[in-house]
Amino acid sequence: MLTVVLECQDQESELAQTLSVLVAGAVEGLVGDVVVLDHGSRDGTSRVADAAGCRFHSQWDIKDIIGSARGDWLLFVEPGARPQAGWIDEIAEYIALNKLPARFTASRGYRRPFFERIGRATPPLELGLLLPKSQALAAARSGMSLAEFAKGQKPRKLASELIPSWVARAAR
């Protein structure tokens, strides 16, 4: 079973887009738990999380969140990111056969303009991060953000594509 963790601040519409894709994973029995970590949102982020049955935290520490995760694997994604077709089967197979972290492949249909890609580091969670709970617990330190947490990982690349969150932000 998989726990999905998202970190938000005033991202109601982006959160709704990501959660709508995760529903299929819940129906298939892959996604068992979704945790939304908030940084003082003033929009409807908490209402969206509540309506979707997510655990919502406005005061949190990453070590406590990982420790309370129900799944044996964690998937960290940015609000607005949307895994594409085939992600459920691929992740289910990957977690059954592997012990190493992984990330999605960037969507070929949604690339940043050429000059924006040159010399630009990819944000740590732009392509998500999938890793075993035990490994996440070992890497977590109190006070870390999800982006800081993801920086130290060396993930493998999944074949499944992910539409990054910047696409949803650009469509606002």
Side-chain angles (χ1 to χ4, degrees):
M1 184 138 16
L2 183 67
T3 294
V4 179
V5 183
L6 302 105
E7 192 172 19
C8 297
Q9 183 173 12
D10 295 325
Q11 294 172 299
E12 174 184 1
S13 63
E14 291 94 338
L15 178 62
Q17 290 178 38
T18 300
L19 294 176
S20 69
V21 174
L22 296 177
V23 167
V27 169
E28 293 292 324
L30 177 67
V31 176
D33 186 22
V34 178
V35 181
V36 176
L37 308 175
D38 189 62
H39 289 285
S41 294
R42 293 177 305 250
D43 62 0
T45 299
S46 64
R47 288 189 306 274
V48 169
D50 183 53
C54 303
R55 291 191 291 146
F56 183 84
H57 299 277
S58 54
Q59 301 276 325
W60 53 273
D61 184 81
I62 192 66
K63 286 185 79 160
D64 297 335
I65 296 301
I66 293 170
S68 70
R70 296 180 187 135
D72 293 330
W73 281 76
L74 303 170
L75 175 61
F76 299 96
V77 292
E78 295 177 336
R82 292 164 300 183
Q84 296 298 281
W87 72 275
I88 297 168
D89 291 336
E90 183 175 13
I91 287 182
E93 182 177 338
Y94 186 87
I95 64 179
L97 301 173
N98 294 280
K99 301 264 186 247
L100 298 171
R103 65 178 172 84
F104 289 97
T105 297
S107 174
R108 289 172 280 174
Y110 296 92
R111 288 199 169 144
R112 290 189 187 269
F114 179 74
F115 289 112
E116 284 185 30
R117 293 188 309 241
I118 302 286
R120 176 190 162 276
T122 303
L125 289 176
E126 185 170 295
L127 298 175
L129 178 65
L130 175 69
L131 72 160
K133 181 178 178 179
S134 59
Q135 191 171 350
L137 279 170
R141 289 179 202 37
S142 292
M144 290 178 95
S145 70
L146 293 188
E148 292 170 325
F149 176 74
K151 282 182 186 175
Q153 306 297 325
K154 301 288 185 214
R156 290 183 173 180
K157 195 182 227 184
L158 299 169
S160 295
E161 294 183 1
L162 178 86
I163 298 174
S165 63
W166 64 264
V167 174
R169 283 192 305 273
R172 252 192 205 187

